[in-house]
Amino acid sequence: MLARANDATLLAARLLLAAALLPTGIARALNVSGFALTLAGAGMPFPNAVATTAVVVQVFGPLAIILGVLPRLTGLALALFAAATACVLHAFWQFTGPALVAERTLMLADLGLAGGYLLYAMTGPGAWSWQGWRMGAPAPRAKPASKSSAKSGGGRRAPQVRAA
Protein backbone atom coordinates (compact mmCIF):
# COMPACT_ATOMS: atom_id res chain seq x y z
CA MET A 1 0.00 0.00 0.00
CA LEU A 2 2.82 2.38 0.87
CA ALA A 3 4.59 1.64 -2.42
CA ARG A 4 1.45 2.53 -4.37
CA ALA A 5 1.09 5.81 -2.48
CA ASN A 6 4.77 6.57 -3.15
CA ASP A 7 4.38 5.85 -6.89
CA ALA A 8 1.19 7.94 -7.05
CA THR A 9 2.95 10.84 -5.33
CA LEU A 10 5.91 10.62 -7.72
CA LEU A 11 3.52 10.61 -10.69
CA ALA A 12 1.69 13.68 -9.34
CA ALA A 13 5.04 15.43 -8.77
CA ARG A 14 6.14 14.61 -12.31
CA LEU A 15 2.92 16.03 -13.74
CA LEU A 16 3.28 19.23 -11.69
CA LEU A 17 6.92 19.69 -12.69
CA ALA A 18 6.00 19.20 -16.35
CA ALA A 19 3.12 21.66 -16.05
CA ALA A 20 5.57 24.38 -15.05
CA LEU A 21 7.24 24.43 -18.48
CA LEU A 22 5.14 22.57 -21.06
CA PRO A 23 2.41 25.19 -21.75
CA THR A 24 5.01 27.92 -22.29
CA GLY A 25 7.09 25.57 -24.42
CA ILE A 26 4.14 24.76 -26.67
CA ALA A 27 3.24 28.44 -27.03
CA ARG A 28 6.82 29.30 -27.93
CA ALA A 29 7.04 26.36 -30.35
CA LEU A 30 4.10 27.82 -32.26
CA ASN A 31 6.00 31.11 -32.69
CA VAL A 32 9.74 30.44 -32.43
CA SER A 33 10.63 33.43 -34.62
CA GLY A 34 8.62 35.79 -32.41
CA PHE A 35 10.36 34.39 -29.34
CA ALA A 36 13.73 34.88 -31.06
CA LEU A 37 12.82 38.52 -31.83
CA THR A 38 11.94 39.05 -28.16
CA LEU A 39 15.30 37.61 -27.13
CA ALA A 40 17.12 39.76 -29.71
CA GLY A 41 15.34 42.86 -28.37
CA ALA A 42 16.60 41.98 -24.88
CA GLY A 43 20.17 41.83 -26.19
CA MET A 44 20.55 38.03 -26.12
CA PRO A 45 23.42 36.83 -28.34
CA PHE A 46 22.46 34.22 -30.97
CA PRO A 47 18.72 34.68 -30.40
CA ASN A 48 17.63 32.10 -33.01
CA ALA A 49 19.80 29.34 -31.53
CA VAL A 50 18.79 30.23 -27.96
CA ALA A 51 15.09 30.32 -28.91
CA THR A 52 15.25 26.96 -30.67
CA THR A 53 17.17 25.36 -27.78
CA ALA A 54 14.73 26.77 -25.23
CA VAL A 55 11.74 25.44 -27.18
CA VAL A 56 13.27 21.97 -27.47
CA VAL A 57 14.03 21.90 -23.74
CA GLN A 58 10.62 23.29 -22.75
CA VAL A 59 8.67 20.82 -24.90
CA PHE A 60 10.65 17.59 -24.84
CA GLY A 61 11.93 17.93 -21.27
CA PRO A 62 8.45 17.97 -19.68
CA LEU A 63 7.28 15.17 -21.98
CA ALA A 64 10.25 13.07 -20.84
CA ILE A 65 9.36 13.84 -17.22
CA ILE A 66 5.72 12.83 -17.72
CA LEU A 67 6.78 9.53 -19.27
CA GLY A 68 9.69 8.98 -16.87
CA VAL A 69 12.33 8.65 -19.59
CA LEU A 70 16.01 9.26 -18.71
CA PRO A 71 15.24 10.87 -15.33
CA ARG A 72 18.80 11.85 -14.38
CA LEU A 73 19.59 13.48 -17.70
CA THR A 74 16.18 15.14 -17.98
CA GLY A 75 16.19 16.37 -14.38
CA LEU A 76 19.70 17.80 -14.62
CA ALA A 77 19.04 19.45 -17.99
CA LEU A 78 15.83 21.08 -16.77
CA ALA A 79 17.47 22.16 -13.49
CA LEU A 80 20.24 23.90 -15.45
CA PHE A 81 17.65 25.45 -17.78
CA ALA A 82 15.55 26.76 -14.88
CA ALA A 83 18.61 28.16 -13.07
CA ALA A 84 19.89 29.84 -16.24
CA THR A 85 16.45 31.27 -16.92
CA ALA A 86 16.31 32.62 -13.38
CA CYS A 87 19.65 34.40 -13.70
CA VAL A 88 19.22 35.70 -17.24
CA LEU A 89 15.57 36.75 -17.27
CA HIS A 90 15.07 37.82 -13.67
CA ALA A 91 18.12 39.94 -12.81
CA PHE A 92 16.36 41.63 -9.90
CA TRP A 93 19.46 43.58 -8.88
CA GLN A 94 18.93 45.81 -11.92
CA PHE A 95 15.56 47.04 -10.62
CA THR A 96 14.23 49.16 -7.78
CA GLY A 97 10.98 49.34 -5.87
CA PRO A 98 8.10 47.02 -6.73
CA ALA A 99 9.84 45.74 -9.88
CA LEU A 100 12.76 44.54 -7.72
CA VAL A 101 10.38 42.59 -5.48
CA ALA A 102 8.56 41.06 -8.46
CA GLU A 103 11.75 40.03 -10.28
CA ARG A 104 13.30 38.62 -7.09
CA THR A 105 10.15 36.57 -6.49
CA LEU A 106 10.24 35.21 -10.04
CA MET A 107 13.94 34.39 -9.73
CA LEU A 108 13.39 32.51 -6.46
CA ALA A 109 10.46 30.64 -8.01
CA ASP A 110 12.64 29.55 -10.94
CA LEU A 111 15.39 28.47 -8.54
CA GLY A 112 12.83 26.49 -6.54
CA LEU A 113 11.73 24.82 -9.75
CA ALA A 114 15.37 23.96 -10.46
CA GLY A 115 15.48 22.31 -7.03
CA GLY A 116 12.41 20.26 -7.90
CA TYR A 117 14.06 19.05 -11.10
CA LEU A 118 17.18 18.10 -9.13
CA LEU A 119 15.04 16.11 -6.70
CA TYR A 120 13.45 14.33 -9.66
CA ALA A 121 16.89 13.55 -11.07
CA MET A 122 17.97 12.01 -7.76
CA THR A 123 14.79 10.11 -6.80
CA GLY A 124 13.73 8.89 -10.22
CA PRO A 125 10.24 8.64 -11.68
CA GLY A 126 8.87 5.71 -9.66
CA ALA A 127 7.22 2.51 -10.85
CA TRP A 128 4.41 4.25 -12.74
CA SER A 129 6.66 5.39 -15.57
CA TRP A 130 8.41 4.21 -18.69
CA GLN A 131 11.53 3.45 -16.66
CA GLY A 132 9.53 1.54 -14.05
CA TRP A 133 7.82 -0.49 -16.76
CA ARG A 134 11.12 -1.15 -18.53
CA MET A 135 12.83 -2.23 -15.31
CA GLY A 136 9.97 -4.61 -14.58
CA ALA A 137 8.40 -2.95 -11.57
CA PRO A 138 7.22 -5.61 -9.14
CA ALA A 139 3.56 -6.55 -9.20
CA PRO A 140 1.51 -5.80 -6.10
CA ARG A 141 1.88 -8.51 -3.47
CA ALA A 142 -1.04 -10.62 -2.33
CA LYS A 143 -2.52 -9.84 1.07
CA PRO A 144 -1.10 -11.97 3.89
CA ALA A 145 -3.40 -14.49 5.52
CA SER A 146 -5.48 -13.17 8.40
CA LYS A 147 -4.38 -13.88 11.97
CA SER A 148 -7.38 -16.11 12.71
CA SER A 149 -6.51 -18.55 9.93
CA ALA A 150 -2.89 -18.71 11.09
CA LYS A 151 -3.95 -19.65 14.64
CA SER A 152 -6.25 -22.44 13.54
CA GLY A 153 -3.28 -24.58 12.50
CA GLY A 154 -2.29 -25.38 16.08
CA GLY A 155 0.10 -22.47 16.41
CA ARG A 156 2.19 -23.56 13.43
CA ARG A 157 2.12 -21.59 10.23
CA ALA A 158 2.11 -23.19 6.85
CA PRO A 159 5.24 -22.46 4.82
CA GLN A 160 4.78 -19.46 2.55
CA VAL A 161 5.89 -19.57 -1.03
CA ARG A 162 7.35 -16.33 -2.32
CA ALA A 163 6.90 -15.38 -5.93
CA ALA A 164 10.06 -14.57 -7.83
Side-chain angles (χ1 to χ4, degrees), residues 17-32 35 51-63 78 81 117:
L17 284 171
L21 290 181
L22 189 57
T24 305
I26 291 171
R28 288 179 176 168
L30 295 174
N31 188 11
V32 178
F35 180 44
T52 303
T53 302
V55 166
V56 168
V57 168
Q58 284 184 302
V59 172
F60 292 108
L63 291 176
L78 288 174
F81 177 80
Y117 291 129

Side-chain angles (χ1 to χ4, degrees), residues 8-93:
T9 303
L10 287 172
L11 175 61
R14 289 193 342 253
L15 293 174
L16 291 170
L17 284 171
L21 290 181
L22 189 57
T24 305
I26 291 171
R28 288 179 176 168
L30 295 174
N31 188 11
V32 178
S33 59
F35 180 44
L37 285 173
T38 302
L39 292 175
M44 177 71 66
F46 309 108
N48 290 329
V50 171
T52 303
T53 302
V55 166
V56 168
V57 168
Q58 284 184 302
V59 172
F60 292 108
L63 291 176
I65 283 182
I66 290 170
L67 296 173
V69 177
L70 300 171
R72 289 187 190 247
L73 177 66
T74 304
L76 290 174
L78 288 174
L80 289 173
F81 177 80
T85 300
C87 294
V88 172
L89 297 182
H90 303 296
F92 68 89
W93 52 88

Side-chain angles (χ1 to χ4, degrees), residues 145-158:
S146 67
K147 291 182 181 181
S148 62
S149 64
K151 290 182 180 179
S152 64
R156 297 183 66 190
R157 290 187 175 176

